[in-house]
Amino acid sequence: MSLIDSLSTEQKEILNANGKFVLRACPGSGKTFTVTAKLEDLLNNWTSNYQGIAALSFTNVAWKEISKNLIEHNIDLKYPHFIGTLDSFINKHIFLPFGHLIMKCDKRPELIGEPYGSWSHGTGRGARAYYQYFDIFSYDINGNIIQVSDPRDCCFGAKWKDTGHETHIINAKKELIKQGYANQSDANFFALKLLEDYPEISRSLVQRFPYFIIDEAQDTTEIQMAIIDKLVEHGLEKILLVGDPDQSIYEWNFAKPDLFIQKYEDWDNAILNKNRRSSQTICNHTYYLSSLGSCSTSVASQSEIKPEIIIFNKDTVNDTIDSFIEICKTNGITINEGNVAVIFRSKSFVDLIKGTSSAGFGVNTNIWADGDYWTKDIVRGKYLYDNGDYRAGFKSIKHGLIKFSTKKRSVTKETIESLLESIDKDLLEFRTEVYQFINSLPNTKNISIKDFIKAINENNDGINLTLKEDSSLSVGELFTDTTMQEHKNCRIGTIHSVKGETFEATLLLLNTKVSKNYTTLINEGNYHLVEEMRNVYVAITRPRKLLMIAVPNQRNKEAWEEVLKLNGI
């Protein structure tokens, strides 16, 4: 059966959507499945060998889910089409080929910082002393300097605005940009400037990709949406934006859901408001945190179990989890990571639940030596390898070894070819040496970073890895993903880590406050306009059958019962 044949009547209406169109979709409405079916329908009638569809998403998770659905239904989305993140499209088709025109550098731009590898640069005087912080700062849509990651490990901390530090940061950015370096936020900023200054690039892109589909569009930034607007201005006539502003939880990363709402008001639109995930009872109560005009209708045929607010104590949080698990069993829910989730806003809950100690705020993790572009890659790669991510771990270690051998900041095709020529080996021989190196490394479990580095140096002639300073941190504390783990056969993780996922049962653990006390946020109303309340909305719309919310005290319990209309029903 094709994807199209599996659509509901409501979902099939999207197949006829053309022109500039916005689809708003409630939680559990089958948004991603509908987008995939729309792609299938377009591909069935696509005749051009040189023009394609750009199928984009804000996150890797969303586009990979679309790609997985296509593959499972034997649908091939290959050249001339493109599928990936909005950032990856911008990089490939705008910034990397043309960025030098706006950056005034004499080479193809080089992306640095996460997710492209760690950034490190030697210190100096004046602006050069600030080179090491290049990846932490970028530009807003007006060209003003902004921080795009936490500056608290910097020598100046978080207080840099309107100080001499700001001047040095601006000058350091300018100098390194002229050398061809850019982080992802820089890439998006310069891509927009390119489209403004060179409209022929926009026209060429529209000719190459006459149809755009953008999933999770509620999380686009002001700069990303401005890039979309430039394409529309220069001839893009067919574009489908898909999302839910009530599930926008990336404002801390400069997402602006109001831009999606404005497009919904200005363009043709539709809404998917039938919930294929949750019971009607869950829909009835979670609705009060949404901006939907009417409550979603459940078509999921789930058991009608009333959500419950309970009080928990941090000292006995595992007793609360045990009670939740027993309630799941009573309701016929099998306990495994796919069915049962314990989720929270703060990553600190992982340590609380598992009795572990992770590097948090106030702990210096900036331990990598200036000008050392390889040690972090090697250590992180072995950590990934030891935890079952063999492909990513091998790649990180391989790149670390190439950087060590060449003393280069990044790895390109040319870098690899030059290294292989200098050591007179082919790629297969080099990969074999990488595997041998991996086998010589100690296991990263329960070992300090200092002892791990020492063991590498002792076991490998010609390798001399160093740290900027001694550290008592373990390798696990440096690299453990505290957003998502397993505990008591349940999935535990942050709200952001489960966005888009479905569970049979969900326990949400809430503190008393986030940016403000939750009771204050509840009293202020307009929940869909407040990101922290949207976080809660995302969390409580994950389960099919069973929802429990655990709060620290009676005052919070009564406040949440009031807002979700759970009192006296």
Side-chain angles (χ1 to χ4, degrees), residues 324-341 488-491 502-506 544-546:
F324 169 65
I325 289 172
E326 288 305 312
I327 294 172
C328 289
K329 291 178 180 177
T330 300
N331 285 280
I333 297 171
T334 303
I335 309 302
N336 60 50
E337 292 179 67
N339 282 346
V340 181
K488 296 179 182 287
N489 292 325
C490 303
R491 167 86 167 270
T502 298
F503 302 94
E504 296 298 302
T506 297
R544 294 181 188 275
K545 298 179 181 178
L546 178 63

Side-chain angles (χ1 to χ4, degrees), residues 104-120:
K104 307 304 180 185
C105 54
D106 58 3
K107 65 174 186 176
R108 180 182 172 93
E110 181 178 332
L111 285 164
I112 59 86
E114 300 301 339
Y116 307 104
S118 56
W119 166 258
S120 178

Side-chain angles (χ1 to χ4, degrees), residues 277-289 302-310 324-325 327-328 331 333 339-344 495 498 503-510 535-551 560-561 563-566:
R277 174 189 295 148
S278 301
S279 68
Q280 188 61 57
T281 301
I282 290 176
C283 290
N284 290 346
H285 294 289
T286 58
Y287 161 67
Y288 294 104
L289 291 190
Q302 299 293 349
S303 303
E304 300 297 336
I305 305 170
K306 181 182 175 182
E308 185 179 359
I309 315 288
I310 62 172
F324 169 65
I325 289 172
I327 294 172
C328 289
N331 285 280
I333 297 171
N339 282 346
V340 181
V342 178
I343 55 182
F344 31 80
I495 295 169
V498 300
F503 302 94
E504 296 298 302
T506 297
L507 169 64
L508 172 63
L509 301 171
L510 292 177
N535 271 294
V536 174
Y537 181 68
V538 167
I540 64 179
T541 54
R542 296 309 95 199
R544 294 181 188 275
K545 298 179 181 178
L546 178 63
L547 170 64
M548 292 184 68
I549 303 174
V551 298
W560 283 111
E561 285 177 339
V563 73
L564 296 176
K565 303 295 186 275
L566 286 166

Side-chain angles (χ1 to χ4, degrees), residues 253-311:
N253 199 27
F254 305 104
K256 287 190 173 292
D258 54 309
L259 298 175
F260 177 86
I261 295 170
Q262 189 61 54
K263 286 290 188 287
Y264 184 81
E265 294 173 354
D266 292 345
W267 295 358
D268 292 338
N269 62 67
I271 184 168
L272 297 179
N273 201 22
K274 286 187 169 57
N275 192 311
R276 287 160 175 75
R277 174 189 295 148
S278 301
S279 68
Q280 188 61 57
T281 301
I282 290 176
C283 290
N284 290 346
H285 294 289
T286 58
Y287 161 67
Y288 294 104
L289 291 190
S290 78
S291 62
L292 290 166
S294 60
C295 179
S296 300
T297 302
S298 173
V299 292
S301 302
Q302 299 293 349
S303 303
E304 300 297 336
I305 305 170
K306 181 182 175 182
E308 185 179 359
I309 315 288
I310 62 172
I311 297 173

Side-chain angles (χ1 to χ4, degrees), residues 54-184:
L56 312 177
S57 175
F58 180 75
T59 64
N60 280 309
V61 172
W63 79 258
K64 286 180 179 179
E65 181 64 24
I66 293 171
S67 180
K68 179 184 174 185
N69 285 343
L70 290 170
I71 291 170
E72 288 176 350
H73 288 80
N74 299 313
I75 302 168
D76 197 3
L77 190 71
K78 59 182 182 181
Y79 184 87
H81 309 291
F82 180 94
I83 184 168
T85 63
L86 186 53
D87 283 344
S88 66
F89 180 87
I90 290 169
N91 292 341
K92 182 174 182 179
H93 294 285
I94 306 174
F95 175 67
L96 290 175
F98 304 111
H100 63 283
L101 298 174
I102 207 88
M103 295 167 68
K104 307 304 180 185
C105 54
D106 58 3
K107 65 174 186 176
R108 180 182 172 93
E110 181 178 332
L111 285 164
I112 59 86
E114 300 301 339
Y116 307 104
S118 56
W119 166 258
S120 178
H121 204 290
T123 58
R125 298 176 64 85
R128 288 183 64 84
Y130 291 75
Y131 280 12
Q132 60 188 309
Y133 309 127
F134 177 78
D135 59 325
I136 295 175
F137 296 91
S138 187
Y139 303 98
D140 66 15
I141 197 167
N142 297 312
N144 300 311
I145 200 78
I146 57 171
Q147 66 184 61
V148 292
S149 59
D150 190 356
R152 276 178 280 190
D153 284 338
C154 301
C155 66
F156 45 81
K159 296 180 179 179
W160 57 271
K161 199 73 176 168
D162 299 321
T163 67
H165 296 298
E166 182 175 12
T167 301
H168 286 309
I169 291 165
I170 291 170
N171 290 335
K173 288 292 290 187
K174 289 179 179 177
E175 290 175 16
L176 286 170
I177 284 165
K178 286 182 179 179
Q179 294 178 37
Y181 299 115
N183 60 35
Q184 185 58 61

Side-chain angles (χ1 to χ4, degrees), residues 463-514:
I463 298 287
N464 183 29
L465 305 183
T466 60
L467 298 173
K468 181 165 65 177
E469 58 184 61
D470 259 353
S471 174
S472 60
L473 290 172
S474 70
V475 175
E477 286 177 311
L478 283 167
F479 296 111
T480 295
D481 180 3
T482 55
T483 63
M484 180 175 64
Q485 294 187 35
E486 179 274 337
H487 183 66
K488 296 179 182 287
N489 292 325
C490 303
R491 167 86 167 270
I492 65 170
T494 62
I495 295 169
H496 286 82
S497 75
V498 300
K499 188 171 184 290
E501 297 196 42
T502 298
F503 302 94
E504 296 298 302
T506 297
L507 169 64
L508 172 63
L509 301 171
L510 292 177
N511 282 317
T512 303
K513 65 177 295 183
V514 274

